Every structure is written in C-alpha cells, then in structure tokens.
Amino acid sequence: GIDMMITHEGGKGDFSYSVSGQLTYTRASWIHFEEEAYDTEAEKRVYQRSGNWINRSVGYVSDGLFMSQQEIENHPIDQDQNGNQTLIPGDIKYVDINGDNVITWEDQQEIGYNTGSPELNYGFNFMGKYKNFSLSLLLQGGSMFAGNVSGLARLPFNNASTPFTLHWENRFHPEKNPGGTLPIATAGVRQNNNRFSDFWLKNISYLRIENVRFSYNIPQFIPGIEFMQVYFAANNLYDFSNLGIYAGSFDPEAGLSHNNYPPNRTLTLGLSLNF
C-alpha cells in the first residue's frame, strides 16, 4: 500500500491560502492459502484463493433482461434447470461461462470488488482567507470497493423498505416500460433474480463535498462584544458517484441495503459571538 499527503501554503497581500491533498491505497492478495487442490477450471475460478486478490467478489454475469415470452422459449440455455419454465419476461438473463448450455455454480467468475471499505481513499482540503472573509472546503472520496443492492432494496411493494421511486421508474413492463433496466416488479423475491451477480453488485467510486464553510468576521462596533462572525456551513453538500439510478437513494459509504438511509445534507446559517 501507499499513503501520501501533499500540502502547499501561500498568499499575497491580504490573501492567504492552504491547499492539501491526501491519498491512501492498500490492497492485499493471497500469495499462498492452505487449501485443497482444485481439479477443474471452474473450481479454480470460483473457489481458489492462492494468487487472487482478497477483495474480489465471485458471482454470475448478467446479460440484460428477457424481453418477451418468445425470447424465453427460444433461449438455448437452460437457466433455471427446468427448461426455463419458471422464467417470465423481465427476469435477468445470465451468461453461460463454461458453454454447457446450463446455468450452474460453474458459470460464476470474478465480477468485481468485495463489499466493505474502499481500498483507495483520497481527499482534498482548501482554506483561504481574504481580509475578514474566509472559506474552507473539504472533499473526500473512495474507490475500489463494491456495494451489493441487497434485501428489500431489490424489490418494490415492501413496507419494511425505503419506498424508492427508482423501482417504479425503472422496472421492466412489456407494455408500459419495455425499456426498463430493473427486473419486472413482483411482490416477492424471484429466485432467478436473487442470484449474486454483477446485476446487483456495483463497483463504487465517489467524491463527496464533505464540508463547506464561508464566514465573515464583522468589525467590532458593539461595546462588550470582542468577536462577531456570521457564517454559512454545509455538510455532505453533494456526492459525485457512479451509482447511476441508485445515486439519490443510497449513501455510497453506508452500503446498498434497504435499511440504510440515503445521504443527509445539512445547511447551517449561524452567528458566533465572543463577549
């Protein structure tokens, strides 16, 4: 891994500033893990740890959605191991990795990072002052980790879940929304759509405006008040991320589960006095 910080300070006349950037990167792999000898390529691809990154996720590779019943009937791959009789339009389609025309555990492969903390963290801090004005800005971000859209966050029609409008806006419907990117809306979990796959696993990168503070020191004009400052502060002002339709519903640092609150923004206008 690597950890580094760069700071620069300067100014001219009544203006002064300080700028700093920070970056931390750490990643680990299994050089050797005491495990059984795997006989097949599928076993090595799915289970082997030696020689692989610790933070990898293994699952199924998705290939869009089934758009019609005819597509399901003509599909050459037995996806449910029941002649595809349990599939309906709007279900997730999976890639047959090993080419045997049947979807089994052997069709899994590395699909992204593991869920948890970012392995790449970065930040930027700025502080500037001009006469009685001052501005501070803190940006913070992370990358090289993943979030799994899990639990009731995958489904609409659940009181125990946050009522995400994205379910309605993006669900597949053969007539009303044939271009939908989420599976067809059902009241319960469909086994086919609940596989651990890259359809739900999202590799995350984000940059957050963590804190902004702008202040003005009011010249002393009231007897007995030594210091007076008016300020505006914003916490968690905005996130730039690659979460797509999930960006407004989930905090990238908190995970993509139904019981995690979306990002909260705090705006403060205040007056500070010293007597």
Side-chain angles (χ1 to χ4, degrees):
I2 184 173
D3 188 4
M4 61 181 295
M5 174 179 285
I6 299 175
T7 301
H8 171 71
E9 296 180 352
K12 183 176 182 181
D14 294 325
F15 176 67
S16 62
Y17 66 91
S18 174
V19 180
S20 63
Q22 173 267 333
L23 183 144
T24 301
Y25 167 75
T26 176
R27 200 176 192 196
S29 63
W30 301 103
I31 296 177
H32 174 74
F33 187 86
E34 198 64 34
E35 55 191 330
E36 61 182 291
Y38 299 112
D39 298 324
T40 67
E41 288 300 319
E43 289 177 332
K44 294 177 182 179
R45 185 174 65 249
V46 175
Y47 300 121
Q48 183 170 292
R49 298 188 182 183
S50 296
N52 287 316
W53 297 109
I54 291 177
N55 73 329
R56 71 178 191 137
S57 284
V58 174
Y60 295 92
V61 179
S62 61
D63 187 25
L65 304 175
F66 287 105
M67 305 302 291
S68 66
Q69 185 62 38
Q70 183 179 7
E71 182 182 6
I72 294 174
E73 294 174 357
N74 295 333
H75 194 54
I77 300 169
D78 187 358
Q79 185 161 295
D80 63 355
Q81 300 183 39
N82 191 29
N84 295 335
Q85 296 184 48
T86 65
L87 302 181
I88 62 175
D91 276 349
I92 301 172
K93 188 191 308 182
Y94 299 102
V95 176
D96 180 22
I97 297 297
N98 64 359
D100 64 356
N101 292 329
V102 182
I103 299 297
T104 66
W105 69 267
E106 295 180 293
D107 294 301
Q108 298 179 86
Q109 67 175 26
E110 184 176 332
I111 58 175
Y113 297 107
N114 205 343
T115 58
S117 301
E119 296 198 336
L120 178 64
N121 292 276
Y122 39 85
F124 171 83
N125 187 63
F126 172 82
M127 296 184 67
K129 185 175 181 181
Y130 177 72
K131 294 185 177 179
N132 288 352
F133 294 94
S134 62
L135 172 68
S136 63
L137 173 67
L138 174 62
L139 306 181
Q140 179 264 332
S143 186
M144 299 183 66
F145 73 118
N148 181 34
V149 181
S150 59
L152 300 179
R154 297 184 181 184
L155 296 170
F157 312 130
N158 284 280
N159 291 332
S161 175
T162 303
F164 303 122
T165 57
L166 64 90
H167 287 143
W168 172 257
E169 295 170 349
N170 297 280
R171 94 280 184 220
F172 170 86
H173 190 282
E175 298 174 356
K176 298 179 180 180
N177 195 22
T181 55
L182 291 181
I184 190 167
T186 57
V189 176
R190 290 188 54 74
Q191 182 177 357
N192 176 80
N193 299 335
N194 208 35
R195 297 174 186 255
F196 185 74
S197 73
D198 63 356
F199 192 93
W200 302 113
L201 187 72
K202 307 299 179 182
N203 291 324
I204 300 175
S205 294
Y206 74 94
L207 178 65
R208 167 173 292 155
I209 304 177
E210 187 80 23
N211 181 272
V212 179
R213 182 184 174 97
F214 179 73
S215 62
Y216 175 70
N217 296 338
I218 302 174
Q220 184 178 2
F221 69 96
I222 301 177
I225 298 181
E226 298 179 358
F227 175 80
M228 182 183 301
Q229 182 187 78
V230 61
Y231 65 90
F232 169 79
N235 292 314
N236 197 18
L237 185 61
Y238 193 79
D239 287 337
F240 302 91
S241 75
N242 62 344
L243 289 181
I245 62 174
Y246 300 101
S249 300
F250 294 103
D251 185 335
E253 291 184 275
L256 309 184
S257 173
H258 67 276
N259 54 6
N260 290 332
Y261 286 102
N264 293 314
R265 181 183 299 114
T266 303
L267 305 178
T268 305
L269 182 63
L271 177 67
S272 180
L273 302 175
N274 287 343
F275 296 94

